[in-house]
């Protein structure tokens, strides 16, 4: 039997209680001034049908080894595998329980099997053909494991999961550089805002379920992300270098939220910048964003608007909802596609966005 939404919330809040230091305990205190009733019910029957088909596509095309990635380049990629697992969990499917519970458990076991010993705790598939940015793999994989923590009934698997999360969190903390951010490899390097959001979100998810993360890690991250904000309210890829862009700016706002910053001029300026790119409203007209990283950008933008509250969410979600449905309508297999990555990646991202109102993923619960 699927747990209720309230059970998910209670489990998430209880797991993080009693820790005196680190991130705030609430998964999403940014929504405190609002009641759930202020969030309009924007999930239509078309959304439910599209998500059902998308999840079925993921579960029925999962690789034999439990991984995801339906192209040779991304077969077994840990970031893609973790996002697909999160998409299934966002539908209420837990490891070993629910219609697609077996698919989630197989993905979980695959990620756990990819923990490296050098450096210790590093989550990465060395046989994957796509080699760029292995810390993306580590960040998304740690997020997936942390979100699954507490949902595993098997004690042996649960202990393995907890031990792996602890080592993965320690690696992220060790790799934070002097600026307060992270880069492509598991070492202290010149940081960028894109890899940084992956790591701070993973730390926040782990913190929410009881793993200790020092407060100074979040404080340093906030300082770094603020240094990436540009005069127009967006966020650049490197601190003080280059222009803002939609995808990295959505990531910047969510990074601040994950580090515990929910109000302030940098949040308001960031949200105003993102609103200029609301689907259907941007200068390029309807359809895809006039830049790359479409699914990546909207994955974070939707989370930013959900956290910002009903004023933003009730305006943004119908726009991205309708655009994702329009993109998906011509696909017979229920998938979304991204020619630069793969169908599993795009489908997982789209399904996560469309299922945010389910409130099942602990990192986004209200």
């Amino acid at each position: 039997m699927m747990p209720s939404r309230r059970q998910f919330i209670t489990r998430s809040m209880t797991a993080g209680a009693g820790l005196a230091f680190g991130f705030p305990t609430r998964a999403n205190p940014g929504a405190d001034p609002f009641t759930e009733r202020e969030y309009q019910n924007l999930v239509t029957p078309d959304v439910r049908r599209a998500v059902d088909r998308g999840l079925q596509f993921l579960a029925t095309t999962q690789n034999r080894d439990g991984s995801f990635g339906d192209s040779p380049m991304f077969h077994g990629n840990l970031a893609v595998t973790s996002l697909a697992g999160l998409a299934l969990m966002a539908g209420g499917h837990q490891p070993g329980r629910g219609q697609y519970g077996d698919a989630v458990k197989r993905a979980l076991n695959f990620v756990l099997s990819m923990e490296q010993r050098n450096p210790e705790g590093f989550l990465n598939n060395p046989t994957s053909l796509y080699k760029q940015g292995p810390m993306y793999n580590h960040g998304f994989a740690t997020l997936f494991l942390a979100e699954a923590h507490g949902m595993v009934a098997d004690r042996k698997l649960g202990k393995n999961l907890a031990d792996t999360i602890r080592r993965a969190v320690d690696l992220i903390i060790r790799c934070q550089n002097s600026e307060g951010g992270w880069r492509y490899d598991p070492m202290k390097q010149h940081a960028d805002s894109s890899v940084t959001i992956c790591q701070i979100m993973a730390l926040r998810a782990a913190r929410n379920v009881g793993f200790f993360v020092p407060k100074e890690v979040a404080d340093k991250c906030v300082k770094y992300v603020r240094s990436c904000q540009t005069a127009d309210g967006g966020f650049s890829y490197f601190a003080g270098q280059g222009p803002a862009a939609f995808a990295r700016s959505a990531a910047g706002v969510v990074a601040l939220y994950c580090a515990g910053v929910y109000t302030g001029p940098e949040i308001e300026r960031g949200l105003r910048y993102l609103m200029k790119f609301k689907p259907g409203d941007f200068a390029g007209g309807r359809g895809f964003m006039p830049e790359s990283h479409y699914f990546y950008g909207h994955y974070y933008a939707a989370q930013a608007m959900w956290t910002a509250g009903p004023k933003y969410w009730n305006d943004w979600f119908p726009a991205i909802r309708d655009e994702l449905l329009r993109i998906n309508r011509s696909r017979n297999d229920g998938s979304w596609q991204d020619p630069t990555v793969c169908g599993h990646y795009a489908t997982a991202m789209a399904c996560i966005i469309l299922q945010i109102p389910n409130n099942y993923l602990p990192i986004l619960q209200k």
Side-chain angles (χ1 to χ4, degrees):
M1 183 177 66
M2 295 292 168
S4 69
R5 191 159 132 304
R6 183 60 54 194
Q7 287 172 315
F8 268 93
I9 296 171
T10 301
R11 177 183 296 150
S12 178
M13 292 177 64
T14 302
L19 298 182
F21 303 100
F23 299 114
T25 300
R26 277 290 305 278
N28 193 357
D32 281 347
F34 310 107
T35 67
E36 294 179 10
R37 289 189 300 273
E38 293 181 73
Y39 285 82
Q40 297 173 14
N41 183 7
L42 302 170
V43 178
T44 63
D46 283 345
V47 169
R48 289 191 287 271
R49 281 190 290 269
V51 168
D52 287 345
R53 294 176 71 230
L55 296 184
Q56 183 181 41
F57 167 77
L58 290 174
T60 57
T61 59
Q62 185 176 17
N63 299 324
R64 289 185 178 181
D65 59 7
S67 72
F68 286 89
D70 57 333
S71 72
M73 184 62 68
F74 286 90
H75 182 105
N77 181 275
L78 254 61
V80 174
T81 298
S82 299
L83 285 164
L86 288 167
L88 294 167
M89 287 168 57
H93 308 280
Q94 299 181 33
R97 287 178 284 181
Q99 182 180 357
Y100 301 129
D102 181 62
V104 177
K105 187 173 182 179
R106 292 174 62 218
L108 189 62
N109 280 320
F110 179 82
V111 172
L112 290 170
S113 74
M114 288 296 142
E115 181 182 358
Q116 306 299 305
R117 294 184 178 181
N118 185 23
E120 184 181 45
F122 185 38
L123 299 172
N124 185 53
N125 182 0
T127 68
S128 176
L129 295 180
Y130 187 79
K131 303 295 185 184
Q132 185 176 1
M135 280 300 283
Y136 282 115
N137 294 328
H138 183 83
F140 281 116
T142 305
L143 171 64
F144 174 42
L145 299 185
E147 293 294 90
H149 186 268
M151 300 181 188
V152 175
D154 185 296
R155 288 189 177 183
K156 183 178 179 180
L157 178 58
K159 184 181 185 305
N160 187 18
L161 179 60
D163 291 343
T164 302
I165 294 171
R166 189 173 297 107
R167 290 188 292 267
V169 165
D170 288 345
L171 180 134
I172 295 174
I173 294 171
R174 291 198 309 271
C175 292
Q176 187 179 33
N177 76 355
S178 59
E179 297 175 276
W182 291 265
R183 188 62 168 147
Y184 286 162
D185 297 303
M187 59 184 70
K188 296 178 186 291
Q189 294 177 312
H190 182 57
D192 74 68
S193 57
S194 181
V195 177
T196 293
I197 171 55
C198 288
Q199 311 315 311
I200 197 64
M201 192 171 186
L203 291 180
R204 181 55 184 269
R207 171 61 184 84
N208 283 347
V209 293
F211 293 88
F212 177 73
V213 179
K215 184 177 183 298
E216 56 266 28
V217 172
D219 292 342
K220 287 171 63 179
C221 180
V222 169
K223 182 178 179 181
Y224 172 72
V225 174
R226 283 173 170 160
S227 72
C228 293
Q229 192 162 36
T230 56
D232 57 4
F235 291 82
S236 59
Y237 191 63
F238 294 118
Q241 299 180 39
F246 168 73
R248 67 187 64 137
S249 298
V253 173
V254 176
L256 290 175
Y257 281 147
C258 288
V261 178
Y262 292 94
T263 59
E266 63 271 74
I267 295 292
E268 292 304 318
R269 292 172 60 227
L271 291 171
R272 284 198 298 270
Y273 177 88
L274 293 180
M275 288 303 297
K276 294 188 295 184
F277 296 89
K278 190 178 79 171
D281 288 353
F282 61 88
R286 303 185 72 83
F288 282 100
M289 295 293 301
E291 62 166 277
S292 60
H293 313 302
Y294 174 87
F295 290 99
Y296 176 92
H298 280 292
Y299 167 80
Y300 285 119
Q303 293 178 45
M305 300 305 170
W306 176 250
T307 307
K311 171 186 172 183
Y312 288 98
W313 176 256
N314 294 341
D315 188 24
W316 184 275
F317 184 72
I320 186 59
R321 174 198 67 195
D322 293 348
E323 184 161 284
L324 287 174
L325 292 179
R326 203 161 50 242
I327 294 168
N328 175 256
R329 197 161 289 140
S330 62
R331 300 292 308 180
N332 292 327
D333 60 3
S335 72
W336 283 261
Q337 294 293 321
D338 184 330
T340 65
V341 188
C342 63
H344 282 168
Y345 165 81
T347 303
M349 287 293 209
C351 286
I352 290 171
I353 292 167
L354 293 174
Q355 292 181 105
I356 287 177
N358 287 353
N359 221 10
Y360 284 158
L361 290 179
I363 192 70
L364 292 173
Q365 283 170 353
K366 292 189 177 296

